[in-house]
Amino acid sequence: MLGQITRWLRRGVTGGVAALGLTAFGAPALGQAASGEPILVGHFGCLTGSEATFGISTSNGIRMAIEEFNAKGGLGGRPVKLVEYDTRGDDKEAGAVVQRLINNDKVVAVLGEVASNRTLAGAAVAQAAGIPLISPSSTNERVTAVGDKIFRVCFIDQFQGYACAVFAHNELGGNAALLYDQSQSYSAGLAEEFKKNYAKLGGKILVEQSYNRGAADFTAQLTAIRNAKPDVIFVPGYYTDVGSISIQARRLGITAPLLGGDGWDSDELGRIGRENIEGSFYSNHYAADQPDPRLQDFIAKYKAKHGAIPDALAGLGYDSANLLFDAMKRAPSQAGDALAAAIAATKDFPGVTGSITINAKRDASKPAVIVELQADTPGQPPRPRFVAKIDPPTDK
Ligand code: PHE
């Protein structure tokens, strides 16, 4: 065993000590740690760029799952080793790095991405190669429709849009404005679902505006929205843009709350938006202040390691990896078809983000929460606080 360890280390595997479950080296658990030929699992994520916290949190969650799995002996003594590439938040790069994971690194499965656009790009490659891909957190409906090798462990935007519409209509008022990112399938899709459900509930969309990811100036759109005097502004974008939008909206004198989807979920949003984003709401996969014991146990472990409260991306990354390992244990072999069939058969998997059953569309049906951004102490960046839980109706 020692010979093998030295060989891996000499190859210069970055993060190898933890990834190979060797943290137990010299500790009493040594006898149980995995030491056979490693099984390679890929992750593609935006580790840099305007949504960098998405990729970093997901990576942290995946790495925690791998460490725990390897410390318990891995897959019959074989450790899982992570191969990870940065998509830099770029769609084309996402497709290219998934190609590299499959062709060069020969991973048995791929985890990622967060943003639906990038997962769609990676999924086309994985599906063509017959290698299973699990997105921890992409919610656009089309993602898993790419094919029978593509899965996710989160809810979809058909439900998230419904959850936001119900909350907006019941709690914030019957007149809404829309401001969505037309460059992202996530944002455009979620806006569409919100619109449909809000109208069904009797709400009115007074004005509809759009922008492109990375835009600097939202004055024209926000002026049109201010003139319509909505009760709530639905902004299903990613956190960097939403932070700027909140600042510019308040500067223009708009006082209506903003409401968004899971794309808001980053500590950065509170740091950028500060008091401008306080009192606004978003839907998410969990709230860290919910009492669920499995979630709280994960939060405590994550905090001890990273010194921060994990966002939902970390929890979903952790769940995607653990669900994959569970399927790997049940699969007769790690070949694409066998592994995909085992993932598809997942029932009542105890995730930290909730119980996960993979349905016929290879999606997971789970409740959503609504959180409100509130500062613990005045002047501090606001943080998400649990407000409501919304269960999926049977048809979502
Ligand atoms: N659901 C978003 C998408 O599909 C990504 C996301 C998930 C962002 C969870 C934050 C938290 O693009």
Side-chain angles (χ1 to χ4, degrees), residues 54 114-116 137-140 186 238 262-263 265 284-285 313 316:
F54 288 175
V114 173
S116 293
S137 42
S138 285
T139 47
N140 184 268
Y186 158 71
Y238 293 139
D262 55 354
D265 193 31
N284 205 3
H285 306 267
L313 285 314
L316 289 166

Side-chain angles (χ1 to χ4, degrees), residues 302-315:
Y302 189 96
K303 254 170 107 175
K305 205 173 169 65
H306 297 287
I309 298 171
D311 53 29
L313 285 314

